[in-house]
Amino acid sequence: MNDMTAPLGHNLPPPYDPAVLEAHARSTMAFLDAAGEYLDLGTIETEEQAGRLNDFITGARGLYKKIEDARKAAKKPHDDAGKAVTAAFSPLLDRLERTVEKMKPMLGDYLRRKEAAERAEQARQRAEAEEKARQAAALAAQAAARNDISGEIEAERLAKEAADQAKAASREVKVSAGSATGAGRAVSMREHRSGEISNWNGAYYHFREHPELKATLQRLTDAMFRAAGGGEIEVTWAKCIKEMKPA
Amino acid sequence: MIRQPSTAAQLYAWHADAVRNGVTMVHDGWPECGWYCTRLVKGGPFVPVKIWVEREVDWDTGELLGPERMVCDCDGQRRDPERLWSFLKPISKADYDALVARREALPAMRATMVAMDLTATPMRIR
């Protein structure tokens, strides 16, 4: 390695033509420089000055369009390459996505049936526990009546068994489908929530301070007044703001 | 036939009215005396145009010695006013003089047969 060695990254040119960018940069600086002269002037006093400023603005807009066209031309090969990559990979992704979406209901249906079966089993266990508890209570009463300590101990054991069974039967039912190989994760049912609006006025009133709703309403209001053209629209909830600006 | 030369008021009446009130009526092929501007190509710079009447007058009698002829100067060249008439926009004498002066100050305006590219060089205030 010596001073003649090129630095790392020297053979990685920018993804655009630097000469084109440099030419546009020079034009842009010339316009900015000229704009400074107009700003130094302060106010436009004569028709001649107004005409020159108008031509300056026209030229600046035209240069903007030229540079924008150059930007799009420089970007197009990269955009086309991105689109080609997406076009090549998307069909595979779409097929897999649709396949998974088709398969998920099958698993969901199984898990729902499994959950129903477990709930039914729980109900049976609860009924059985209640019967056991009832029997234990009866046995305890009988053993106490005849002073049968062994009977009392047996009745307590039965009651404890019934209580344990009742506790197991009241646990929350959670079903899942495990992995056949161990390599996949277990899948369980998850609750997804959405809203069905029954009262649109109520919904609007609830979200009236939300910035997204305000932005949407502002956009629709602007469009309404613009669509009127030269005509007047009168509404109680807004007024039309008219501003004259050079086109 | 004895004829009196047209007065300036008569010759420039249409132009004065057009500058003051806007163009209300134009007859193709019937040019009027005055000062005008036009473009020679689409997107090209304004060029000054002047239409006036040339005539020979007997200074002893004040009468015309021949017909009054409408002549036109467009960008320093004599042109047929009837052929240009439909493309002319009337301007005041002051605007005409300003246009002539602006052409002296801005060399780009002298290329009258090409569209003017305002993006090449910014229009400056002076």
Side-chain angles (χ1 to χ4, degrees):
Chain A
M1 295 288 198
N2 54 32
D3 287 343
M4 299 292 287
T5 307
L8 281 174
H10 77 284
N11 201 23
L12 193 64
Y16 51 83
D17 185 347
V20 169
L21 182 67
E22 175 63 25
H24 286 313
R26 279 197 299 272
S27 300
T28 302
M29 290 316 297
F31 270 83
L32 295 180
D33 188 51
E37 292 177 7
Y38 287 96
L39 292 173
D40 290 341
L41 190 64
T43 51
I44 300 296
E45 303 284 357
T46 66
E47 194 65 30
E48 173 76 15
Q49 289 172 346
R52 282 177 179 252
L53 181 57
N54 186 17
D55 281 352
F56 171 83
I57 292 172
T58 302
R61 283 185 177 148
L63 183 63
Y64 180 94
K65 188 176 179 312
K66 268 189 186 174
I67 296 175
E68 176 67 7
D69 290 345
R71 181 190 72 84
K72 284 179 183 168
K75 201 163 163 265
K76 190 172 187 312
H78 306 282
D79 287 341
D80 292 345
K83 282 180 188 163
V85 168
T86 301
F89 283 83
S90 285
L92 305 175
L93 295 172
D94 289 343
R95 286 185 175 99
L96 281 170
E97 191 177 1
R98 288 181 71 173
T99 299
V100 166
E101 289 305 313
K102 257 187 146 33
M103 297 297 108
K104 272 165 60 174
M106 286 178 68
L107 193 57
D109 172 65
Y110 169 74
L111 288 174
R112 269 188 289 276
R113 283 186 283 116
K114 185 176 173 182
E115 187 183 8
E118 287 206 8
R119 285 191 195 281
E121 175 62 17
Q122 261 192 351
R124 194 189 62 75
Q125 294 276 352
R126 257 195 310 275
E128 202 176 286
E130 280 167 16
E131 177 62 24
K132 257 192 204 169
R134 199 182 50 75
Q135 284 177 2
L139 280 173
Q142 288 169 9
R146 59 176 191 268
N147 293 323
D148 179 2
I149 296 175
S150 172
E152 283 177 5
I153 292 172
E154 180 61 21
E156 281 172 16
R157 188 192 66 78
L158 206 60
K160 187 175 181 306
E161 212 177 274
D164 288 344
Q165 195 174 6
K167 190 177 173 189
S170 62
R171 269 201 293 267
E172 190 189 348
V173 172
K174 279 186 184 174
V175 296
S176 63
S179 165
T181 59
R185 65 172 178 87
V187 171
S188 57
M189 299 293 273
R190 204 176 291 174
E191 189 180 60
H192 288 264
R193 294 185 171 192
S194 60
E196 183 183 322
I197 300 176
S198 56
N199 180 350
W200 287 93
N201 285 335
Y204 164 74
Y205 186 76
H206 179 79
F207 289 111
R208 65 192 182 286
E209 295 299 328
H210 199 288
E212 280 185 32
L213 179 59
K214 286 186 170 182
T216 300
L217 290 173
Q218 183 65 61
R219 183 177 53 80
L220 293 171
T221 305
D222 290 346
M224 179 186 75
F225 280 119
R226 276 198 295 271
E232 296 294 330
I233 290 184
E234 288 199 11
V235 292
T236 56
W237 43 269
K239 64 176 181 181
C240 183
I241 307 289
K242 297 178 188 176
E243 280 179 296
M244 299 300 286
K245 293 181 181 176
Chain B
M1 192 163 72
I2 300 170
R3 283 180 53 209
Q4 298 297 319
S6 305
T7 64
Q10 288 169 329
L11 289 172
Y12 291 90
W14 181 94
H15 177 268
D17 180 65
V19 168
R20 197 167 38 240
N21 301 319
V23 176
T24 54
M25 199 180 301
V26 174
H27 297 288
D28 278 344
W30 283 22
E32 301 281 352
C33 293
W35 299 269
Y36 304 87
C37 70
T38 188
R39 291 187 183 92
L40 298 183
V41 293
K42 184 180 175 184
F46 283 133
V47 296
V49 179
K50 189 168 59 173
I51 299 179
W52 70 100
V53 154
E54 282 184 346
R55 59 240 175 138
E56 285 82 39
V57 177
D58 184 346
W59 295 112
D60 292 325
T61 60
E63 288 168 359
L64 288 169
L65 294 176
E68 291 179 321
R69 298 179 305 281
M70 201 81 80
V71 292
C72 170
D73 176 287
C74 173
D75 193 25
Q77 292 180 348
R78 287 289 181 109
R79 300 274 297 267
D80 182 355
E82 287 180 22
R83 293 171 73 91
L84 266 186
W85 176 239
S86 301
F87 309 101
L88 301 182
K89 178 187 165 196
I91 56 176
S92 66
K93 175 72 166 57
D95 288 342
Y96 175 90
D97 292 338
L99 179 56
V100 169
R102 199 175 307 132
R103 278 160 54 85
E104 294 302 314
L106 295 171
M109 286 189 71
R110 289 178 223 153
T112 57
M113 298 305 286
V114 293
M116 201 164 165
D117 183 7
L118 290 172
T119 68
T121 312
M123 178 64 64
R124 294 190 175 260
I125 191 62
R126 287 175 203 90

